Amino acid sequence: MTSSAPKRSLTPPAIQARKGGEPIVCLTSYTAQMAALVDPHVDLILVGDSLAMTVYGMPGTVGVTLEMMIAHGRAVTRAARRACVVVDLPFGSYEASPAQAFQSAARVMAETGCAAVKLEGGAPMAETIHFLTRRGVPVMAHVGLTPQSVNALGGYAVRGRADAEAEAIMADAAAVAEAGAFSVVVEKVIEPLARAISGRIAPPTIGIGASVGCDGQILVIDDLIGLFTAFRPKFARRYAEVAGTIEEAVRGYAADVRDRRFPGEEHVFAGE
Ligand code: KIV
């Protein structure tokens, strides 16, 4: 599962330098096993707080704790050799003040060995991003649809259709870029806005539901492989149907146990 090959991880500055170049490939992972499979193929692995839904069966990301992120972040960094590993700061661990954000980020980085943290929010988080980046914490920002604010936003609808909302999201992206974010996730905004942001800000934009006009793309791994089936986001392309494969395997095992076909001769330890 984990490899003994030396780590040659992509760094946040190396990701930042990819602006306007070959698209940056990003995916989430939450476990060492998945990270080992994902790592050779991507540039960046995000230990996203989407683990609330994919791992813990929560209805949204608001209930995630710093301890959960640290446990999964540690598992992923153990297995990743090449990709830049970024860990999400969960809701409530960074919004109160730049000092609170630094304490949380420092814990996450020291206890997981990740390269950077991600936090949600635009202009109101700019001061915090500036504070962190000046103190050795690379920050991936996240604007547009920010799921930790679902209660304030009133849901997960696409953002930027109204002119005023589009202007506010553009201002958010400009503020976090100016504050020093090394990359900016742009989630679920209309295509013209995603393209305009990508053309305007210096760091690379990483789109999720934000069109091919971004500098890179990210998806939740469980959406990509068809493991998360509670709902199917319009912006996620399914490359496999793993849930069906798992169900089929479990059905076969259950039938074999009930019919005494498992364990077979080959699984049995004979006496001397
Ligand atoms: O939590 C998450 O997985 C994210 C995404 C951008 C995919 O924030």
Side-chain angles (χ1 to χ4, degrees):
M1 183 168 56
T2 53
S3 158
S4 55
K7 283 194 188 240
R8 288 210 175 74
S9 306
L10 283 164
T11 61
I15 298 290
Q16 185 165 9
R18 298 265 300 268
K19 174 77 183 179
E22 189 190 358
I24 302 162
V25 183
C26 313
L27 269 177
T28 68
S29 294
Y30 318 104
T31 64
Q33 177 71 54
M34 190 62 83
L37 293 170
V38 164
D39 180 67
H41 308 285
V42 304
D43 302 310
L44 184 146
I45 295 177
L46 172 68
V47 186
D49 62 357
S50 50
L51 57 72
M53 290 84 87
T54 58
V55 177
Y56 291 96
M58 295 174 166
T61 58
V62 170
V64 174
T65 65
L66 205 53
E67 284 66 32
M68 287 157 79
M69 296 311 303
I70 288 170
H72 289 273
R74 200 183 281 145
V76 167
T77 57
R78 267 187 209 124
R81 324 272 357 135
R82 178 186 171 274
C84 178
V85 177
V86 179
V87 176
D88 256 341
L89 292 183
F91 180 67
S93 73
Y94 63 93
E95 299 90 335
S97 66
Q100 184 209 24
F102 183 78
Q103 273 182 357
S104 299
R107 249 198 91 188
V108 166
M109 293 187 74
E111 294 182 34
T112 71
C114 69
V117 297
K118 177 167 82 59
L119 56 82
E120 295 184 7
M125 293 313 301
E127 185 193 350
T128 293
I129 294 172
H130 187 255
F131 189 92
L132 293 179
T133 54
R134 289 300 173 100
R135 286 162 179 77
V137 179
V139 177
M140 180 181 228
H142 185 156
V143 302
L145 175 65
T146 45
Q148 291 177 8
S149 304
V150 63
N151 294 307
L153 294 174
Y156 295 96
V158 65
R159 307 214 60 224
R161 285 219 163 100
D163 286 351
E165 192 170 270
E167 276 164 29
I169 294 170
M170 174 59 91
D172 281 341
V176 297
E178 183 67 24
F182 78 90
S183 60
V184 180
V185 169
V186 179
E187 180 163 353
K188 211 172 175 185
V189 303
I190 57 167
E191 178 171 2
L193 177 58
R195 287 187 184 277
I197 292 172
S198 301
R200 159 107 183 257
I201 67 173
T205 54
I206 308 297
I208 174 162
S211 88
V212 78
C214 295
D215 298 297
Q217 299 293 327
I218 187 162
L219 281 179
V220 168
I221 181 70
D222 299 56
D223 290 333
L224 179 121
I225 63 174
L227 183 57
F228 184 72
T229 54
F231 63 87
R232 196 171 177 149
K234 172 184 161 69
F235 54 73
R237 182 178 288 166
R238 284 254 180 105
Y239 289 83
E241 296 293 346
V242 165
T245 306
I246 293 173
E247 254 195 283
E248 208 176 298
V250 174
R251 199 179 300 119
Y253 166 74
D256 283 354
V257 170
R258 290 192 181 106
D259 293 344
R260 298 190 188 283
R261 286 192 301 265
F262 179 83
E265 284 298 311
E266 69 278 27
H267 306 119
V268 171
F269 301 96
E272 291 307 314

